[in-house]
Amino acid sequence: MANAVKRIGVLTSGGDAPGMNAAIRSVVRACTYMGIECVGIRRGYNGLINGDFTVLQNDNVAHIINRGGTILYTARSDEFRTLEGQKKAAATCKLLGLDGIVSIGGDGSFRGLVELAKQGISVVGVPATIDNDIVCTGYTIGYDTAANTAVEAIDRLRDTMQSHERCSVVEVMGRNAGHLALYVGLATGATAVLVPEKPVDFDRDVIDRIRQARLAGNTHFMIIVAEGAGSAIEIGKGIHEELGLDPRVTILGHIQRGGTPSARDRVMASRMGYHAVQDAGRRQDEPRHLRTGRSDGRHRYHRGPFHEEGAQRAAVRGAAGDDGHRQLNPDKKIGACCTAARPFSIPEQLFRHLPFPSLS
Ligand code: F6P
């Protein structure tokens, strides 16, 4: 089929995530393969507003598959949250002759796509955030690397906590979601894990857990706190007051966002980037969303009419690893379509898609 799409833009937005560069590389190379020009938009949606762009070809993305961060820079754009900013961004797309935008990022980036689509721009979203909190996708680029980074740091902490017979309280990123903390807690055999999805009862979830561990013969304790579940410093103070222990508090912070992406993140990014471009070039007869998932090692495509309501739905998958989606914060809007509960174990990616104006 002749490809009517001639030029697309790619940007990274929101908090960076390891594997974003691999996704950019994949988008550029897929474009080259499909005969599409690729324009890199710098500094997220700010770049669209200001016309901050660079033409990307295969050479520009050589040797970046292993690099953390994003060569396109990233930002959280206040201006793009306004209608005026969104109109400016859409005007830039038209000025540059972009047939569509591929946005690589997290929930804010997806919300941005929803707004851009309202301005008549075709969009495809590639989920990338260490938080893994985009509804309808079981996996977001960067999650695996961030988890491995946190696990490595906690293993180091454990050595010294064990030697001194101490208690450690570690704060893990994740914004309003506890996926990363829970996953890391499981991987490190933590004494307790606190996540925002489950109301914390300090006595039951922390103090009793430490007491039980002590009765079982443990002399060091590891408490993992998702940043959305409370302050590690306050929890450390509470442990001191209740048990007389002298906990050491570590906030892992942005270290979790950096570093060379894991093999899993590189491969997922490479696949997602390719499919994003492939879908961008696909003829569509009506507004649709596209969700692509991997099951049994194969990509599956789920298509259907695009639901604005679904795209605006405020839902985050339950961090407890259950099969359901939980309504955590009604104000939190994620630009992804939520349709059905999905088993935690099935990795899936979501691409949101509307037809390109030139094709409709
Ligand atoms: O969304 C990714 C994330 O790293 C969250 O886990 C964290 O809450 C937030 O970004 C931190 O944002 P910033 O880089 O603006 O400090």
Side-chain angles (χ1 to χ4, degrees), residues 76 129-131 173-175 227 254 257:
R76 293 191 169 97
T129 163
I130 66 164
D131 302 342
M173 270 190 172
R175 202 178 287 275
E227 66 173 333
H254 291 79
R257 289 227 303 250

Side-chain angles (χ1 to χ4, degrees), residues 5 8 98-102 110 112-125 276-291 303-308 311 335 337 351-360:
V5 173
I8 64 171
L98 300 180
D99 295 311
I101 288 288
V102 174
F110 275 58
L113 285 184
V114 171
E115 299 310 321
L116 206 51
K118 285 182 191 163
Q119 299 301 321
I121 306 299
S122 299
V123 295
V124 181
V277 177
Q278 194 182 46
D279 187 58
R282 202 186 296 265
R283 188 178 182 89
Q284 303 282 324
D285 296 329
E286 60 179 64
R288 290 167 190 273
H289 74 266
L290 170 67
R291 183 174 70 233
R303 292 174 178 277
F306 170 69
H307 296 292
E308 188 65 29
C337 187
F351 297 101
R352 204 179 77 66
H353 181 80
L354 290 176
F356 288 178
S358 57
L359 297 180
S360 56

